[in-house]
Amino acid sequence: MMKRKHTLEERVQAVREHQENRKSYSELSERYGTTTQVVRNWVKRYQEMGAAGLEDRRGKRLANQSPRTPEEALRIENVRLERENYLLKMELDLLKK
């Protein structure tokens, strides 16, 4: 099966069809040209995080994205503080010389 990029709207629509119309994963996979496992993952992520869970966030910096969970917010803040600490250490080393 050939890989195909699905828009956020397509993913949300597939999940809603599953929830509201009780369509099976196999019906939806045929309709959207993907596998049943992909549709099952969409439904699972939608149930866990809502529509934000269906966003394709690959290849994007974590700091530039809005957090989906409290753990992700802490991870983003940790990365920001580590970066700030690194820059301050470099500045201090430069001033010492």
Side-chain angles (χ1 to χ4, degrees):
M1 186 171 284
M2 192 171 155
K3 284 190 175 186
R4 178 175 171 257
K5 288 191 175 192
H6 298 279
T7 64
L8 178 62
E9 292 79 24
E10 286 179 324
R11 295 176 195 158
V12 171
Q13 184 178 357
V15 170
R16 288 199 177 135
E17 285 181 29
H18 172 72
Q19 291 176 339
E20 295 169 2
N21 301 334
R22 295 292 177 209
K23 289 193 175 182
S24 68
Y25 295 132
S26 59
E27 288 177 314
L28 293 171
S29 67
E30 288 177 17
R31 179 166 182 210
Y32 290 98
T34 187
T35 63
T36 56
Q37 184 62 41
V38 170
V39 176
R40 188 178 300 123
N41 288 339
W42 291 346
V43 171
K44 182 179 176 185
R45 287 189 308 195
Y46 186 83
Q47 289 170 346
E48 291 173 358
M49 295 182 263
L54 299 176
E55 293 175 354
D56 185 12
R57 299 167 61 133
R58 295 175 292 175
K60 298 177 183 160
R61 291 189 180 273
L62 192 59
N64 297 339
Q65 301 172 7
S66 59
R68 297 184 286 193
T69 62
E71 293 84 16
E72 199 170 80
L74 290 174
R75 222 177 313 128
I76 291 171
E77 181 65 13
N78 189 27
V79 168
R80 186 190 68 77
L81 291 173
E82 285 176 353
R83 174 79 175 148
E84 182 180 345
N85 189 24
Y86 172 75
L87 292 174
L88 289 172
K89 283 181 181 179
M90 285 183 58
E91 184 179 341
L92 183 63
D93 287 342
L94 185 64
L95 291 173
K96 285 181 180 179
K97 288 186 178 184

